[in-house]
Amino acid sequence: MKRILVTGAFGQIGSELINKLSDIYGQDNVIATDIKSGNYSGPFEKVDVTDGKRLYEVAKQYKVDTIMHLAALLSATAEKMPKRAWDINMGGLINALEVAKELDLQFFTPSSIGAFGPTTPKEHTPQDTIQRPTTMYGVNKVSGELLCDYYYYRFGVDTRGVRFPGLISYVTPPGGGTTDYAVEIYYEAIKQKSYTSYIKEGTYMDMMYMPDALTAIIQLMEANPDQLKHRNAFNISAISAAPEDFAKAIQVYIPEFTLEYDVDPVRQQIADSWPNCIDSTAAQEEWGFKAQYDLQAMTKDMLEKLAAKLK
Ligand code: AKB
């Protein structure tokens, strides 16, 4: 049985992950931490991840055996405040890794498609390839991957991670990401039957429905370590799509839906520096990653769930 501390527990991934982990391991074994309180009836502690001493004390108090470190600023926000992004994303990460080292904990943190850059092969981006990102978020993610591998090789900490694509969910909206349009488009389809995209037509990025992302985290953390040739971090993707592909998928259910464009140059530049479609073969081979939702299946579920939620 696992006992897991989650940082950033009320963010986009965390708010769903804590409930899924509770279903599997029992709510008393899932300790939610965040800088603000949120909607969770299990154990909660206020923790700022830049305060390593506090993080250590909470992990020790609850006798956890795993940390899932999710607290971070996303790409567009990081571009607005790069120094703060470095302090939170890298300062928080090394604090969490130190706690894992001191208390001998298993460790998960997400990397991202943002760990790639304009010189990375854009199509079927391999697991092991050029990583020279041009954003602060990307610099944080590559440094984070290297740091997690370092803690594994140097100190034997069982660190594992995935490179998440844009994550789409009807539960908690993302904040400050480049792929956020792919969530907003569904909300606006229900509310206005139209959407104005800040990302240009023809811009492909990897995407995934949240249920597949949560399953991937759990599957990777449960995987036999002897099977893992890679650790930080595995490419995983389910969908490669541009704004017009979302529009077409939505029009199957809402034929009058229209898509317009008003491009934001900052987020467009970030999107242009990321791959069109990454290759998930290593994750499939080493721990059995397989996504259940393609664009159409995700769209059907998103629209049904959002229609009920926004009623
Ligand atoms: C972002 O857009 O910043 C994130 C990501 C792909 O890491 N959703």
Side-chain angles (χ1 to χ4, degrees):
M1 185 53 85
K2 284 187 185 294
R3 200 160 157 81
I4 305 163
L5 183 151
V6 180
T7 73
F10 299 124
Q12 192 203 9
I13 303 174
S15 58
E16 289 185 64
L17 183 64
I18 52 176
N19 291 319
K20 175 127 182 154
L21 293 172
S22 295
D23 290 344
I24 299 171
Y25 305 112
Q27 198 171 55
D28 289 350
N29 291 320
V30 182
I31 293 81
T33 74
D34 206 313
I35 45 171
K36 55 184 189 296
S37 53
N39 184 17
Y40 179 58
S41 46
F44 167 73
E45 296 287 340
K46 222 173 232 190
V47 175
D48 177 342
V49 292
T50 60
D51 182 350
K53 189 164 168 284
R54 168 84 179 135
L55 186 57
Y56 174 85
E57 280 162 3
V58 171
K60 198 169 159 65
Q61 179 194 339
Y62 283 90
K63 297 188 172 55
V64 297
D65 60 25
T66 304
I67 291 196
M68 296 193 176
H69 176 59
L70 307 179
L73 298 188
L74 293 184
S75 54
T77 307
E79 230 33 55
K80 278 193 205 130
M81 37 177 114
K83 169 68 169 64
R84 196 163 154 66
W86 179 271
D87 291 343
I88 293 173
N89 293 357
M90 299 313 298
L93 178 61
I94 200 156
N95 286 343
L97 283 165
E98 275 296 301
V99 173
K101 182 185 90 178
E102 291 306 317
L103 298 176
D104 193 19
L105 313 179
Q106 201 193 17
F107 190 89
F108 172 85
T109 200
S111 184
S112 157
I113 51 170
F116 297 117
T119 51
T120 303
K122 267 199 163 328
E123 305 292 340
H124 308 291
T125 306
Q127 172 65 38
D128 301 307
T129 186
I130 300 164
Q131 290 185 267
R132 304 291 290 177
T134 47
T135 63
M136 176 49 96
Y137 181 68
V139 170
N140 295 164
K141 289 302 182 189
V142 178
S143 311
E145 290 184 10
L146 293 171
L147 197 59
C148 289
D149 273 348
Y150 176 78
Y151 270 70
Y152 170 65
Y153 290 121
R154 177 79 167 77
F155 305 117
V157 179
D158 183 1
T159 57
R160 306 179 186 197
V162 294
R163 294 182 184 130
F164 272 136
L167 297 180
I168 295 162
S169 155
Y170 58 88
V171 179
T172 307
T178 302
T179 58
D180 295 7
Y181 89 85
V183 178
E184 291 169 8
I185 197 169
Y186 289 107
Y187 277 85
E188 295 309 305
I190 298 286
K191 290 198 259 184
Q192 314 282 356
K193 304 200 182 336
S194 71
Y195 179 65
T196 304
S197 173
Y198 60 80
I199 293 292
K200 209 164 57 190
E201 185 175 4
T203 308
Y204 280 82
M205 285 185 276
D206 289 281
M207 304 281 174
M208 184 181 286
Y209 200 29
M210 189 61 85
D212 281 333
L214 302 180
T215 303
I217 295 174
I218 290 156
Q219 226 181 328
L220 173 60
M221 294 305 272
E222 294 277 2
N224 178 349
D226 299 342
Q227 306 293 319
L228 302 181
K229 294 191 202 79
H230 297 88
R231 279 182 169 267
N232 303 285
F234 285 92
N235 281 5
I236 59 168
S237 180
I239 296 158
S240 164
E244 64 273 22
D245 297 320
F246 284 94
K248 274 188 217 126
I250 289 169
Q251 280 157 354
V252 171
Y253 307 100
I254 307 175
E256 63 275 36
F257 176 77
T258 56
L259 177 62
E260 282 165 41
Y261 296 91
D262 181 12
V263 174
D264 167 15
V266 174
R267 284 179 287 184
Q268 183 63 42
Q269 201 178 17
I270 298 174
D272 286 340
S273 78
W274 290 355
N276 292 349
C277 139
I278 62 173
D279 178 85
S280 318
T281 308
Q284 283 156 22
E285 288 177 355
E286 294 177 40
W287 49 276
F289 166 74
K290 190 171 173 5
Q292 301 295 326
Y293 288 87
D294 61 12
L295 178 58
Q296 206 57 57
M298 174 179 77
T299 299
K300 181 172 186 292
D301 202 58
M302 273 296 279
L303 292 175
E304 278 170 13
K305 298 285 173 25
L306 276 179
K309 180 175 164 172
L310 300 174
K311 226 193 257 170

